[in-house]
Amino acid sequence: MRKARCSLLGVLFLVLFAAACQTAAGAPRELASLDDVTNGFVATDPSPRPAEAARAYGNAGFDDFGSHNAAPIESPAQPRLLIQKGEVRVEVARPDDAAREFQAKVAAWGGYLQQQNGAILVLRLPAAKFDEAFTAAKALGRVLGESRSANDVTEEFVDLGIRIDNARKSRDRLVEILAKAEKVEDILKVEAELRRLTEEIERMEGRKKFLQDQVAMATLQLTLQPVSQPPPVKRSRQWSRFDWINQVGAEQMLGGDF
Amino acid sequence: MRALRVLGLAAVATFAACGSMPMQLPPDFVELGEVGNGHRAVTADDARLRVRNLFDSTKGSVDFWADTLCNDCVLQRGYELVERGEVNDRDGVSGRWLHFSANVGGEKVGVLVAAWVRPRLLKKPYLQVAEFVARQDVFAARLPAVRQALTTVWR
């Protein structure tokens, strides 16, 4: 009897444990209260997995990038969102001419000069042309130094999309709540939350737009250094075969011999 | 006693003659004394004057030595020849002078070198050389007086 009771308790425990696990892992999160609505978008999983995030966000946000960086990230083989930056230092005979020549190329690729400080040029150009520009910059003269980097912002971009989406949904629900609210206190509270949410959405959209720009247009810093002239060969003085001549002159008069 | 006095005076005179600059010093120059086989004088603004006897085994004429010195200064030292000419010393012996402009240690200076060939009995001649060097502006101001003083040089 006692043994049967123990077995029953054990089975009950296992059933309860399994139910608890299922609830924790699979139960959808529902926003019931006002707090849940207003904080819900922040409480969403802060680091979604890329595949999940892409599904949640859809592909709409990637269409802005053209074919080079625009594919969704369902498959690891597909390109990611990269902010490409590079720096090339080259020694050229005529830096002004080289700068003009390179700027013309960049303009033809759809890029532009962002900043110039003497012989240092900061150029923005379509990401698709970055490799070509990097190679062309190195071909201008003798390469003194080069570096390039690609910052993967795929996760941040996707995360922003999810957060914006959630925030918009939350805002829509707040608007619904506001329409039903009767107490002045409730109305004021909802309106304050609406303002805060709207600002947050604008901030995130700004950040997203910035990332889009950075991904779409790569940055290349080009430093053009003039070819350094070899130091003039100093002709060493040949001493006279006549000793007295070597003893005469300004060097001797102004030196220690005087 | 009288002979001793005469000998003493002669010795003093000889010593005095050896110890002084063999030219009438231009204005403002103060003699520094003899060093080696040369005499030196300076001004307060650091114009420098020196007269020396220099020896060389080569028996060259005064023109030979002037040309040699000129070539050495221009071609080897980078001096710029401004002018050259002849000058007779106090005894009428013809010498040559060379006026250069030079850059020494980043400073532009004027250089004047005059030379006379001094023959000696049974020996090879030697060269008596007068040199005047000063900062460009000082040099220009004092050059006429020094050129004049060259005509008072004695051997």
Side-chain angles (χ1 to χ4, degrees), chain A residues 238 245 247-248 251 253, chain B residues 48 52 76-77 79 131:
Chain A
Q238 207 172 352
I245 290 201
Q247 298 175 46
V248 170
E251 296 82 4
M253 285 288 281
Chain B
R48 299 178 179 199
R52 287 186 292 176
Q76 299 298 333
R77 310 185 202 186
Y79 290 13
E131 297 167 83

Side-chain angles (χ1 to χ4, degrees), chain A residues 249-255 257-258, chain B residues 48-50 131-133:
Chain A
E251 296 82 4
Q252 287 76 13
M253 285 288 281
L254 298 172
D257 286 359
F258 185 72
Chain B
R48 299 178 179 199
L49 186 62
R50 178 162 65 178
E131 297 167 83
F132 166 51
V133 174

Side-chain angles (χ1 to χ4, degrees), chain A residues 50-51 67-82 152 154:
Chain A
S67 60
H68 186 66
N69 290 312
I73 50 170
E74 294 263 345
S75 159
Q78 284 168 326
R80 302 180 69 83
L81 298 176
L82 302 173
D152 189 343
T154 312

Side-chain angles (χ1 to χ4, degrees), chain A residues 203-216:
Chain A
R203 189 188 62 75
M204 289 189 294
E205 281 175 340
R207 173 69 184 165
K208 195 178 149 203
K209 202 171 176 186
F210 172 76
L211 288 180
Q212 282 176 326
D213 173 69
Q214 291 291 304
V215 171

Side-chain angles (χ1 to χ4, degrees), chain A residues 173-184:
Chain A
R173 292 191 65 180
L174 273 176
V175 171
E176 284 171 19
I177 290 170
L178 185 65
K180 291 174 188 168
E182 289 175 354
K183 287 182 187 172
V184 174

Side-chain angles (χ1 to χ4, degrees), chain B residues 7-86:
Chain B
L7 274 173
L9 280 171
V12 168
T14 306
F15 182 76
C18 287
S20 66
M21 195 84 148
M23 72 189 300
Q24 281 181 14
L25 280 177
D28 304 328
F29 277 87
V30 172
E31 191 169 347
L32 292 177
E34 189 177 354
V35 170
N37 53 353
H39 300 269
R40 303 166 300 153
V42 292
T43 62
D45 49 13
D46 205 29
R48 299 178 179 199
L49 186 62
R50 178 162 65 178
V51 179
R52 287 186 292 176
N53 294 335
L54 297 170
F55 299 88
D56 198 283
S57 57
T58 309
K59 200 175 173 182
S61 68
V62 71
D63 283 321
F64 171 80
W65 289 126
D67 289 342
T68 305
L69 179 63
C70 184
N71 287 333
D72 189 81
C73 287
V74 172
L75 301 176
Q76 299 298 333
R77 310 185 202 186
Y79 290 13
E80 187 185 331
L81 179 68
V82 179
E83 202 180 355
R84 61 185 292 174
E86 292 183 22

